[in-house]
Amino acid sequence: MKTLRFGPASLVMASVRRPWLTLVLGLVVTALALWIAADRIAMTTDTSALISPKVSWRQQEERMESAFPQLRDNMLIVVDGETPELAEDAAARLSAALGADKTHFRLVTRPDGGEFFAREGLLFGSVEDVRSATRAMIDAQPMLGPLAADPSLRGVTVALSTMLDGVDAGEIPLSRIDRPLHALSTAIDGSLSGKRPHFSWQRLFAEDGKGVSPPTRRLILTQPVLDHGALMPGEAASAAVIAAAGKLSIDHAHGVRISLTGEVPLADEEFATLQENIGVVGAVMLGAMLLTLWFATRSVRLVAAIMTTILSGLIVTAAIGLLAIGRFNLISVAFIPLFVGLGVDFGIQICVRFNADRAAGAEPKEALRLAAMALGAPLLLAAGAIFLGFGAFLPTAYIGIAELGVIAGLGMIVALLFSLTLLPALIMLLRPGAPRSDVGFKALAPVDSFLERKRRTVLWAFGAAMAAGIALLPWAVFDFNPLDLRDPNAPAMRALKDLTRDPDRTPNVIDVLAANPAEARQLSQRLAALPEVAQVVSLDSFVPEQQDEKLARIQDASLLLDLTINPFDIAPPPTDSELQQAIASTEAKLRDVIAAHPGPEGNEARRLATSLNRLGSASEAQRAAVNDMLSRPLGVMLDQIRQALQAGPITRETLPPDLVRDWVTPTGLVRLQVFPSGNANDNAVIRQFRNAVATVTPAISGLPVATQAAAGTVAGAFVQAGVLAFLLVSVLLFLVLRDVKEVAFTLAPVVLSIFLTLGSCVLIGQPINFANIIAFPLLFGVGVAFHIYFVMAWRGGATGLLQSSLARAVMFSALATGTAFGSLWLSHHPGTASMGKILMISLIWTLICALIFEPALLGPPRKKAQSGL
């Protein structure tokens, strides 16, 4: 095979003649690249930057976020309390603390709480809900009075005594007060047993479980200060939340659980998951690659030369990528496995061929010259084809993969140059010994013979396999929901999944942008009529209906309860002696009532009397604990009643300005929030929901829109890039090979391996997703390279391809890449693990197609073997 004067062979020979100079130049270039990379290293974790802002749905998203900037980069704090009082108290105190922390938070709001909702909250229920709530307050008046005047255990005993007086007087039956008697005895017994129970006055005063249940979950919505230069931009803000909660004793020990979710915690958590066992994955990856390289070359020195070349090339590629793009993104950083996989291939090809010529008796310098003569043209063609394949992503809207294409494409040039210069120089300097055995696979001679004799049968078998793969395509699952790539057991994902089960708090809502209030009302009516829509929330939703009737009931309750809940004098905190006296007095009164009611109706009274007896005999600390258990939630409950009874009429003009700004801009743009009907965790339901809303208006954004639209954008980008790459590589191959048949021989196995990989994914139930789809560019690059090697050898007159050193190089190249990156399967991150799985499957099929299908497809060499380039 003849070479060009300044072709690959010339570079190899120049490096061989001056190995020390080449090594020094290589080290200088690597050191310079390392300095550039260290100086310019930047990594953006902004997932919104992965897709072009010119895409229509991204433009709609940007319009919404520009109109309502408070919607972007959010962190949602979910406060779950064992009682409604604990949840409200914790949310109020934590939101106040975070609101004062301007270092970590730009904005802190309470979407379901705060002064407005505390005062007007009753109006948002139905008339029946208001009736039930006010009736429960009025019925509790005999107990509320003593409690408001003395919010302590002493006040509780006074309230009990008042109720018992009513029983003695025959005004109420003893069974009427069973609920408070049972609740108090249960709480006191639990506290004396050391269980630290949490008492709820709201639950006690609820009207037999009817009406609106007191919520035990509260939300705090924040907009944290982010550091996009860090792998976890919101880590400092998350730590600030945890620290503030700890300082305020808002924790499980005090009956409250805090969880973080939302856009920022989910992104941070994903990187934390990636880092969990990265050391194990990295060690397995390196070990698998080193072991495979040793089996391929049977030389530690050659392994060292290959790894040094790859490391230097990787550093140079990183520097070039930073100079070309400016920073890495979540997708473009995948240039590392792509470069290593293809760089290993180049190194193995050269070193295995070098060993083959050494085994034939050639000296190291001559062996390198012969390897360069044989492989220069195939390596150059393979690198060119891979470069064009990656470059095909440039015109797509998927910026993440387009930038990956730029960096990986330039990396192929670096990998080729270093394989033709630094690698030969290192081989000359390290002077590996000649192999002691045959480099090829002589044992595969019968397989070569079989493939020649049964060529048609083999081709028909692969044709049938391809047909089966194509037939399975309708069942291929393309899951582009980014949430499915995350660890479902991670805290932020657990909190998010829990929220999606709550129809009133699900994050799977669509935001609609209307030009003015009139259009908003029209859209709201049309959207509410859709069967896929559960409800539409707008600013008008915060102006309750039937206010007059509701306010009348609230005002009646306020008149009756005003002096009860707002006493002129409030007793000072009791001493332990006073508590003992109050407990003993109430116990005695209970005993009197029990004597008058010896039947089953006195069971709860007997139980509470026993509990009070134990409490009176307990330690001062135990009585103080019971006093605290009852008085803390009592203060919260009384404050809530006082605020709720101050409700007044609501109009759009009287709504709080902050609330109005969440729904209407100063320029008149209006935001609508649309909730899905059905299971918000079901991708099919969310897809139908999004499509239905899109038929009413295109001005939509939100998680369901981004998820579904991003799926279309990414899938379209890969289809577009795939077609373009196929055309560009086909043209390059034709320009070099000058034979349509040989072009088909090169690309047909690549197409076959892709269909076989997709078919395998169907059979094992593995969806294609945002993460593992990156395996296909590597599959294309490695596949094209392997088949170019075989086609170039075949057109040069080579026979017995499976017995040759080329087959050994291809097999171990695939094994090195497959086992190394198949180790990603061990990752705790579901997306990364699925990438490792598909990489392993795809490389297995690539190897099978290269070693079996390709030789059968090529058949016997031409009678007149053509020379090289």
Side-chain angles (χ1 to χ4, degrees):
M1 184 180 290
K2 297 179 181 179
T3 61
L4 297 175
R5 185 172 181 180
F6 298 104
S10 300
L11 287 174
V12 171
M13 294 313 298
S15 302
V16 167
R17 284 193 294 268
R18 298 179 180 83
W20 281 110
L21 177 61
T22 303
L23 177 60
V24 170
L25 290 176
L27 292 176
V28 169
V29 170
T30 302
L32 178 62
L34 184 61
W35 176 77
I36 293 173
D39 181 62
R40 294 175 175 261
I41 186 69
M43 172 80 182
T44 178
T45 55
D46 186 0
T47 55
S48 64
L50 296 179
I51 294 178
S52 171
K54 297 180 181 179
V55 178
S56 59
W57 66 270
R58 282 295 313 280
Q59 291 177 339
Q60 295 292 351
E61 188 176 68
E62 179 58 32
R63 290 191 191 101
M64 178 64 76
E65 291 184 348
S66 296
F68 299 96
Q70 63 269 36
L71 298 180
R72 67 176 56 165
D73 296 333
N74 284 331
M75 174 188 291
L76 184 66
I77 304 169
V78 183
V79 182
D80 288 306
E82 292 192 21
T83 66
E85 293 92 338
L86 285 171
E88 173 59 29
D89 177 62
R93 292 188 293 126
L94 183 58
S95 62
L98 299 182
D101 184 1
K102 302 302 180 183
T103 301
H104 296 105
F105 300 96
R106 293 190 177 93
L107 180 68
V108 178
T109 60
R110 291 191 58 195
D112 60 355
E115 182 181 350
F116 173 75
F117 288 105
R119 186 180 66 252
E120 311 290 357
L122 279 178
L123 294 177
F124 292 97
S126 65
V127 173
E128 178 59 26
D129 291 336
V130 175
R131 185 202 65 79
S132 298
T134 53
R135 180 179 173 181
M137 294 179 196
I138 293 170
D139 288 348
Q141 186 176 21
M143 197 169 186
L144 283 175
L147 293 175
D150 186 1
S152 67
L153 174 58
R154 180 181 58 195
V156 173
T157 62
V158 172
L160 278 172
S161 296
T162 302
M163 289 190 294
L164 292 173
D165 288 340
V167 173
D168 277 340
E171 297 174 357
I172 57 173
L174 181 58
S175 59
R176 180 75 177 273
I177 63 172
D178 273 355
R179 290 185 66 219
L181 298 181
H182 176 80
L184 287 168
S185 62
T186 301
I188 292 171
D189 290 342
S191 180
L192 293 177
S193 300
K195 297 178 181 178
R196 300 187 67 177
H198 302 285
F199 192 79
S200 173
W201 292 99
Q202 288 190 49
R203 287 174 176 165
L204 178 60
F205 290 142
E207 188 185 24
D208 298 326
K210 299 177 182 178
V212 179
S213 300
T216 57
R217 168 170 288 172
R218 293 294 185 180
L219 303 178
I220 303 173
L221 186 64
T222 72
Q223 195 171 51
V225 176
L226 302 180
D227 178 10
H228 282 299
L231 286 178
M232 292 186 284
E235 185 177 21
S238 297
V241 173
I242 302 303
K247 187 176 181 180
L248 296 171
S249 298
I250 299 174
D251 51 34
H252 182 72
H254 294 86
V256 183
R257 180 170 60 87
I258 298 291
S259 52
L260 308 180
T261 190
E263 181 181 352
V264 174
L266 285 169
D268 289 348
E269 191 172 79
E270 184 168 17
F271 281 97
T273 306
L274 284 168
Q275 294 175 2
E276 275 185 12
N277 64 335
I278 192 171
V280 174
V281 173
V284 173
M285 180 181 293
L286 180 62
M289 181 167 289
L290 291 175
L291 186 63
T292 309
L293 286 175
W294 184 84
F295 276 113
T297 62
R298 295 286 181 170
S299 170
V300 173
R301 297 184 182 187
L302 288 178
V303 171
I306 293 174
M307 294 302 295
T308 302
T309 303
I310 290 173
L311 181 60
S312 296
L314 188 60
I315 293 171
V316 172
T317 300
I320 293 175
L322 290 169
L323 290 172
I325 305 297
R327 82 286 182 273
F328 300 129
N329 62 51
L330 297 177
I331 302 296
S332 65
V333 75
F335 84 91
I336 296 174
L338 293 177
F339 179 90
V340 173
L342 294 166
V344 162
D345 173 57
F346 291 168
I348 287 179
Q349 292 293 332
I350 291 173
C351 288
V352 170
R353 183 56 189 252
F354 167 79
N355 273 343
D357 291 322
R358 288 280 284 140
E363 292 299 316
K365 183 180 294 187
E366 177 63 13
L368 283 170
R369 187 187 70 80
L370 293 173
M373 293 285 289
L375 294 174
L379 289 177
L380 185 60
L381 182 56
I386 296 168
F387 176 82
L388 292 177
F390 286 140
F393 284 98
L394 278 177
T396 70
Y398 195 7
I399 290 179
I401 203 74
E403 292 181 353
L404 170 63
V406 171
I407 299 172
L410 294 173
M412 287 306 95
I413 298 175
V414 173
L416 180 64
L417 288 175
F418 273 57
S419 296
L420 297 176
T421 54
L422 182 59
L423 180 58
L426 287 170
I427 292 174
M428 287 300 297
L429 294 173
L430 293 174
R431 294 190 174 278
R436 299 177 181 178
S437 59
D438 182 59
V439 175
F441 296 124
K442 293 296 185 182
L444 294 182
V447 180
D448 270 324
S449 176
F450 173 81
L451 292 177
E452 186 175 346
R453 288 184 290 104
K454 300 293 184 179
R455 182 187 177 200
R456 289 183 179 274
T457 303
V458 172
L459 293 178
W460 275 109
F462 274 98
M466 181 171 180
I470 295 173
L472 288 171
L473 286 182
W475 288 275
V477 177
F478 294 88
D479 180 6
F480 291 108
N481 186 343
L483 298 180
D484 291 339
L485 300 183
R486 306 177 192 272
D487 182 359
N489 297 315
M493 270 304 298
R494 285 203 309 268
L496 183 68
K497 290 293 185 182
D498 192 26
L499 283 176
T500 57
R501 287 189 285 269
D502 185 342
D504 294 325
R505 290 186 171 96
T506 176
N508 279 319
V509 296
I510 291 178
D511 289 316
V512 175
L513 189 64
N516 50 63
E519 182 186 23
R521 284 190 288 272
Q522 180 186 18
L523 288 174
S524 182
Q525 292 174 358
R526 294 176 61 192
L527 290 167
L530 295 173
E532 294 84 1
V533 172
Q535 63 171 324
V536 180
V537 178
S538 67
L539 186 63
D540 291 333
S541 303
F542 297 93
V543 181
E545 298 177 347
Q546 299 177 286
Q547 289 190 50
D548 292 341
E549 187 174 354
K550 296 174 185 176
L551 285 170
R553 293 186 179 277
I554 293 172
Q555 288 164 3
D556 288 344
S558 179
L559 287 173
L560 288 171
L561 297 172
D562 184 37
L563 292 177
T564 301
I565 61 175
N566 297 297
F568 292 110
D569 296 315
I570 298 178
T575 64
D576 183 62
S577 175
E578 290 171 333
L579 286 179
Q580 285 181 300
Q581 292 175 7
I583 292 168
S585 174
T586 304
E587 181 191 353
K589 187 166 288 190
L590 275 169
R591 300 293 181 189
D592 292 340
V593 170
I594 293 168
H597 299 81
E601 62 178 332
N603 288 344
E604 293 299 340
R606 276 188 287 273
R607 184 182 174 199
L608 180 57
T610 303
S611 300
L612 290 177
N613 180 268
R614 290 181 61 202
L615 182 60
S617 303
S619 66
E620 180 179 345
Q622 287 176 309
R623 280 187 293 275
V626 172
N627 182 53
D628 185 69
M629 173 188 69
L630 296 175
S631 60
R632 280 182 179 274
L634 180 57
V636 175
M637 185 269 294
L638 289 171
D639 286 342
Q640 288 179 317
I641 291 177
R642 294 182 184 113
Q643 289 178 301
L645 293 179
Q646 295 176 18
I650 302 174
T651 65
R652 286 191 62 151
E653 290 70 28
T654 61
L655 288 172
D658 290 345
L659 178 62
V660 174
R661 184 62 186 88
D662 284 341
W663 299 92
V664 180
T665 70
T667 59
L669 295 176
V670 180
R671 169 178 162 241
L672 305 175
Q673 195 171 61
V674 189
F675 286 75
S677 60
N679 182 6
N681 281 320
D682 189 329
N683 285 342
V685 170
I686 295 302
R687 187 181 304 112
Q688 293 172 2
F689 168 58
R690 183 256 181 188
N691 293 339
V693 174
T695 62
V696 175
T697 173
I700 58 177
S701 59
L703 184 59
V705 178
T707 298
Q708 303 300 325
T713 300
V714 172
F718 271 86
V719 171
Q720 178 186 351
V723 172
L724 184 58
F726 186 84
L727 293 175
L728 290 174
V729 172
S730 297
V731 170
L732 174 65
L733 291 174
F734 179 76
L735 290 176
V736 175
L737 302 176
R738 302 288 182 176
D739 190 317
V740 174
K741 188 176 181 181
E742 291 182 3
V743 173
F745 284 169
T746 304
L747 294 178
V750 178
V751 174
L752 173 61
S753 60
I754 290 174
F755 281 118
L756 292 175
T757 299
L758 290 172
S760 299
C761 289
V762 173
L763 293 176
I764 66 173
Q766 174 61 56
I768 306 300
N769 55 48
F770 276 117
N772 60 38
I773 199 171
I774 298 172
F776 288 92
L778 179 60
L779 169 61
F780 182 82
V782 171
V784 166
F786 287 173
H787 301 301
I788 283 175
Y789 302 149
F790 275 110
V791 171
M792 295 290 281
W794 172 80
R795 77 195 304 258
T799 59
L801 292 177
L802 293 186
Q803 307 168 55
S804 66
S805 61
L806 174 59
R808 180 187 186 90
V810 166
M811 186 184 77
F812 282 106
S813 177
L815 288 176
T817 307
T819 56
F821 297 106
S823 62
L824 295 174
W825 202 337
L826 301 175
S827 174
H828 290 171
H829 184 265
T832 304
S834 71
M835 186 194 303
K837 185 188 298 183
I838 287 192
L839 277 168
M840 179 72 79
I841 294 170
S842 66
L843 286 165
I844 289 172
W845 281 120
T846 298
L847 185 59
I848 291 173
C849 289
L851 296 181
I852 299 178
F853 177 68
E854 185 71 81
L857 182 65
L858 293 173
R862 296 178 176 182
K863 294 181 180 178
K864 293 183 179 180
Q866 298 182 25
S867 61
L869 292 173

